[in-house]
């Protein structure tokens, strides 16, 4: 046992070599800069959901027989809420990318709490959902309409190339024992404008009605809107939607009744279910020019309001993954909507909704290094970092305020199979819809066993958490020694210096477990209360060596 542990920590001078060999799992990890936490993923083309630590080790696993459909989240009690579908042919009437079939809640041990299916010849849930504070769930659904129904609402027959139209709607369910009931709905089809046929309803000047949706804008296939993300703001009681087929994000009022949501009055806004705000492509409401378009097939719009973010300067702004920026690359962006009195959004008549520019943009270097034509998302972290999922690439990175990559992970489930470390990954074979990090203080982890197990990938690299280490990290620290190593209690940290230094110790998920602001060497560090694993010794912010704790 001791020999194996010693082999794990004898990594100095080998890290750059190891990094060049790894193809999946954690490729880069700077525990001094990475946001501590646990990561939830449910890769595509397979059936299971996983919670992993920042070293890539499995903390919990929810096996299933169903593929994603597409999102998965943890409830505040630690239960898993996931979408699923059984194969691709389970609904011959409505079949498109992101299709789902059911939502279910599973406890930590994978026991079913409730399950709700929404999938038949007229409707089908898809892509994403959001858990509300009261436990209800919002999800996205297509509703299947005939060509005659679409033409009756002013749709140009030349824009119905597949003989029908599937506008989206948002459905809210209240979980019950073993199932759920529908308690609220909002439909795209209730908020249309068109300037094609004056004999049909909602005929008017599109530019004069940005609160309404042009029935003749966008795609001509059945999957017309293709809404792929839904997020809820409990302070505003509003819902954010990502609408890639319009290259926009939309905000709607959730405080309405279902009847009010079908009209233009009622709710906190007084506007019923009409759009409160839209942004990204003013051409969708006949305003502006091509130069004004900012979003390109966007994904994962969300408010920056997650745990630990209340004092962040971006709190309350909108975050979005911008997939198809001209030039074939993707960016992550923050938008600050012009919220005015009574939580209504400021709009100058005849102009496009502001702002005119992003508040924040992350672009990889070179830009084309991050490109995902679909899927993907981002999550700002309490330490200011940005956690990014480039879905088609199966690539997750965390970048700091200088846009330095401080953590990276490649999804090791490829075409539904667990992959072997070191084997090459082909493009778009290990795709993933979303990737979410939960803080160690997350309420759902209380009372749960978070002991890490095996790595997700086969034949893992046992030095995986050292791969960010470089010669520069060690500059001036070559003489640092640790003993005993492994240790079952105290470890002596010795450095050939007469000066005092900042001394820190980090665990495998990046949490700092020891801090001495002005340490004199040799320093005695007590790790007797820590669990078994690898801990990183950092001096003045430079990671120098690892110590194995083996109680």
């Amino acid at each position: 046992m001791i020999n194996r542990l010693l082999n794990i920590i004898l990594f100095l001078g080998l890290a750059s070599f190891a990094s060049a060999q790894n193809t999946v799992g954690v490729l880069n990890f700077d525990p001094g800069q990475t946001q501590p936490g646990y990561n939830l993923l449910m890769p595509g083309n397979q059936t299971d959901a996983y919670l992993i630590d920042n070293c890539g080790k499995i903390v919990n696993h929810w096996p299933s027989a169903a593929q994603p459909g597409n999102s998965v989240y943890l409830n505040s009690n630690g239960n898993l809420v996931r979408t699923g579908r059984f194969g691709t042919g389970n609904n011959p009437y409505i079949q498109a990318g992101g299709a789902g079939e059911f939502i279910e809640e599973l406890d930590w041990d994978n026991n079913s709490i409730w399950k709700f299916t929404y999938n038949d010849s007229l409707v089908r849930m898809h892509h994403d959902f959001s858990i509300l504070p009261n436990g209800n769930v919002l999800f996205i659904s297509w509703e299947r309409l005939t060509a005659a129904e679409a033409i009756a609402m002013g749709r140009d027959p030349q824009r119905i190339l597949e003989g029908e139209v599937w506008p989206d709607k948002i459905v809210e369910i209240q979980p019950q024992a073993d199932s759920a009931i529908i308690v609220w709905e909002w439909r795209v089809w209730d908020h249309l404008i068109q300037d094609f046929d004056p004999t049909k309803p909602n005929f008017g000047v599109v530019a004069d009605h940005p609160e309404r949706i042009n029935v003749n804008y966008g795609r001509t296939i059945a999957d017309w809107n293709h809404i792929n993300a839904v997020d809820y703001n409990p302070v505003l009681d509003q819902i954010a939607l990502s609408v890639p087929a319009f290259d926009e994000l939309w905000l709607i009022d959730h405080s309405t009744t279902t009847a009010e949501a079908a009209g233009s009055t009622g709710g906190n806004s007084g506007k019923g279910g009409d759009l409160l705000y839209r942004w990204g492509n003013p051409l969708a409401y006949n305003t502006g020019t091509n130069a004004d378009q900012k979003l390109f097939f966007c994904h994962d719009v969300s408010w920056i309001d997650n745990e630990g973010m209340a004092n962040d300067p971006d709190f309350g702004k909108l975050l979005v993954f911008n997939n198809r920026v001209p030039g074939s690359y993707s960016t992550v962006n923050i938008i600050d909507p012009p919220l005015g009195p009574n939580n209504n959004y400021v709009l100058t008549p005849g102009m496009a909704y502001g702002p005119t520019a992003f508040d924040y943009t992350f672009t990889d270097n070179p830009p084309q290094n991050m490109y995902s034509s679909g899927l993907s998302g981002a999550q700002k972290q309490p330490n200011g970092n940005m956690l990014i999922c480039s879905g088609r690439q199966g690539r997750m990175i965390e970048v700091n305020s200088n846009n330095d990559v401080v953590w990276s992970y490649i999804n090791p489930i490829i075409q539904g199979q667990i992959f072997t470390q070191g084997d090459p990954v082909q493009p778009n074979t290990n795709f993933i819809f979303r990737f979410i990090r939960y803080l160690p203080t997350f309420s759902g982890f209380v009372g749960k066993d978070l002991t890490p197990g095996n790595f997700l990938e086969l034949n893992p690299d046992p030095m995986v958490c050292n791969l960010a280490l470089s010669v520069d990290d060690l500059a001036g620290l070559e003489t640092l020694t640790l003993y005993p190593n492994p240790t079952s209690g105290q470890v002596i940290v010795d450095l050939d210096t007469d000066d005092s230094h900042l001394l820190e110790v980090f665990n495998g998920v990046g949490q700092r477990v020891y801090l001495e602001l002005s340490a004199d060497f040799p320093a005695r560090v007590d790790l007797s209360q820590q669990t078994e694993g690898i801990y990183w010794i950092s001096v003045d912010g430079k990671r120098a060596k690892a110590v194995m704790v083996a109680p």
Side-chain angles (χ1 to χ4, degrees):
M1 173 67 174
I2 295 299
N3 287 337
R4 180 180 69 83
L5 298 180
L6 285 172
N7 287 335
I8 289 175
I9 62 176
L10 291 177
F11 65 89
L12 294 181
L14 298 177
S16 295
F17 172 78
S19 179
Q21 306 304 307
N22 284 5
T23 56
V24 295
V26 175
L27 302 187
N28 182 32
F29 180 29
D30 184 339
Q33 296 195 64
T34 299
Q35 173 66 54
Y38 298 90
N39 307 287
L40 184 65
L41 67 158
M42 188 167 65
N45 280 348
Q46 60 85 57
T47 58
D48 298 1
Y50 299 89
L51 188 69
I52 61 173
D53 66 14
N54 282 349
C55 283
K57 290 186 175 183
I58 301 172
V59 173
N60 204 30
H61 171 211
W62 293 267
S64 176
Q67 292 186 349
N70 278 334
S71 285
V72 58
Y73 301 101
L74 291 180
N75 209 339
S76 58
N77 58 6
N79 289 349
L80 185 85
V81 185
R82 62 159 286 169
T83 56
R85 60 184 175 88
F86 292 104
T88 57
N90 59 338
N91 187 333
Y93 305 99
I94 306 175
Q95 184 60 247
E101 180 178 346
F102 64 85
I103 297 178
E104 64 179 340
E105 182 169 351
L106 305 166
D107 69 15
W108 192 258
D109 298 316
N110 208 38
N111 299 305
S112 179
I113 305 300
W114 60 268
K115 182 177 180 180
F116 180 78
T117 299
Y118 200 72
N119 178 46
D120 58 33
S121 62
L122 296 179
V123 296
R124 184 170 192 175
M125 66 172 60
H126 64 95
H127 280 94
D128 197 18
F129 66 92
S130 181
I131 304 172
L132 276 60
N134 64 0
N136 288 1
V137 175
L138 293 168
F139 66 82
I140 308 163
S141 172
W142 290 299
E143 57 175 327
R144 181 170 170 245
L145 302 180
T146 65
E149 289 174 305
I151 292 170
M153 291 298 289
R155 178 87 167 179
D156 182 351
Q158 300 301 312
R159 302 187 64 82
I160 313 175
L161 298 187
E162 296 180 347
E164 53 192 34
V165 179
W166 307 341
D168 281 318
K169 65 176 179 176
I170 307 302
V171 181
E172 181 180 347
I173 56 173
Q174 182 183 77
Q176 307 284 308
D178 300 324
S179 187
I181 58 172
I182 295 174
V183 296
W184 184 83
E185 288 188 352
W186 175 89
R187 304 171 67 236
V188 164
W189 208 243
D190 290 328
H191 303 281
L192 303 179
I193 185 74
Q194 56 93 15
D195 57 6
F196 172 73
D197 187 342
T199 68
K200 298 296 191 300
N202 299 314
F203 180 78
V205 178
V206 172
D208 290 345
H209 294 279
E211 77 283 2
R212 291 188 162 261
I213 300 155
N214 185 355
V215 74
N216 288 306
Y217 187 81
R219 306 201 292 192
T220 57
I221 60 175
D223 182 13
W224 173 39
N225 315 125
H226 196 76
I227 294 175
N228 58 33
V230 55
D231 191 47
Y232 177 71
N233 187 314
V235 175
L236 301 176
D237 202 5
Q238 295 177 7
I239 298 168
L241 305 172
S242 170
V243 194
F246 278 55
D247 301 304
E248 288 188 296
L249 58 87
W250 297 343
L251 301 185
I252 60 173
D253 194 342
H254 174 259
S255 68
T256 59
T257 64
T258 295
E260 290 171 334
S264 300
T265 60
N268 294 337
S269 66
K271 298 179 180 179
D274 284 346
L275 302 187
L276 303 180
Y277 176 74
R278 62 195 306 177
W279 196 86
N281 179 25
L283 289 177
Y285 49 102
N286 286 5
T287 303
T289 67
N290 287 330
D292 298 312
Q293 183 174 346
K294 304 297 183 185
L295 297 180
F296 302 88
F297 208 76
C298 50
H299 277 69
D300 192 28
V301 63
S302 62
W303 275 280
I304 299 174
D305 61 358
N306 48 303
E307 181 185 1
M309 300 298 295
N311 296 320
D312 190 278
D314 291 323
F315 184 83
K317 298 178 184 178
L318 291 165
L319 177 64
V320 67
F321 191 96
N322 203 4
N323 292 75
R324 302 179 185 178
V325 179
S328 298
Y329 64 96
S330 302
T331 62
V332 171
N333 302 104
I334 293 176
I335 301 108
D336 189 9
L339 190 61
N342 302 317
N343 292 331
N344 286 315
Y345 296 88
V346 177
L347 175 64
T348 302
M351 302 292 289
Y353 275 107
T356 58
F358 296 113
D359 254 32
Y360 162 93
T361 297
F362 170 78
T363 305
D364 213 339
N365 184 22
Q368 289 74 19
N369 194 43
M370 187 174 78
Y371 177 65
S372 182
S373 60
L375 313 172
S376 311
Q379 181 189 20
K380 193 173 185 187
Q381 302 299 305
N383 66 354
N385 291 353
M386 189 67 70
L387 183 65
I388 300 168
C389 168
S390 184
R392 292 285 179 199
Q393 295 176 300
R395 174 180 178 238
M396 279 58 70
I397 61 173
E398 182 178 346
V399 298
N400 63 18
S401 58
N402 295 321
N403 287 347
D404 300 321
V405 177
V406 299
W407 183 87
S408 63
Y409 185 83
I410 301 296
N411 172 30
I413 301 184
I414 297 171
Q415 294 180 330
Q417 302 297 317
I418 303 292
F419 217 53
T420 299
Q421 182 64 270
D423 286 349
V425 179
Q426 300 301 316
N428 202 32
T429 59
N430 64 334
F431 64 87
I432 181 171
F433 181 66
R434 200 77 55 77
F435 187 87
I436 302 166
R437 180 168 297 163
Y438 293 87
L439 301 184
T441 55
F442 174 59
S443 62
F445 294 152
V446 175
K448 303 297 192 300
D449 182 2
L450 300 175
T451 303
N454 296 324
F455 291 95
L456 185 51
E457 64 269 20
L458 302 176
N459 192 29
D461 178 2
M463 296 186 297
V464 66
C465 281
N466 309 319
L467 297 181
L469 194 66
S470 68
V471 174
D472 291 340
D473 289 321
L474 299 170
L477 303 177
E478 291 87 348
T479 61
L480 187 143
T481 57
L482 308 174
Y483 56 90
N485 188 7
T487 181
S488 60
Q490 293 187 339
V491 61
I492 305 300
V493 182
D494 200 1
L495 181 64
D496 186 14
T497 178
D498 294 328
D499 299 324
S500 297
H501 295 266
L502 171 67
L503 176 61
E504 300 170 282
V505 181
F506 297 89
N507 65 14
V509 295
Q511 289 175 284
R512 187 170 60 194
V513 299
Y514 181 87
L515 169 66
E516 192 169 349
L517 296 175
S518 184
D520 294 321
F521 297 93
R524 187 180 300 271
V525 178
D526 185 5
L527 297 177
S528 61
Q529 300 304 308
Q530 303 303 321
T531 58
E532 181 177 357
I534 297 176
Y535 291 77
W536 316 120
I537 305 298
S538 173
V539 177
D540 295 339
K542 297 177 180 178
R543 289 184 298 117
K545 284 191 177 182
V547 58
M548 170 62 75
V549 175

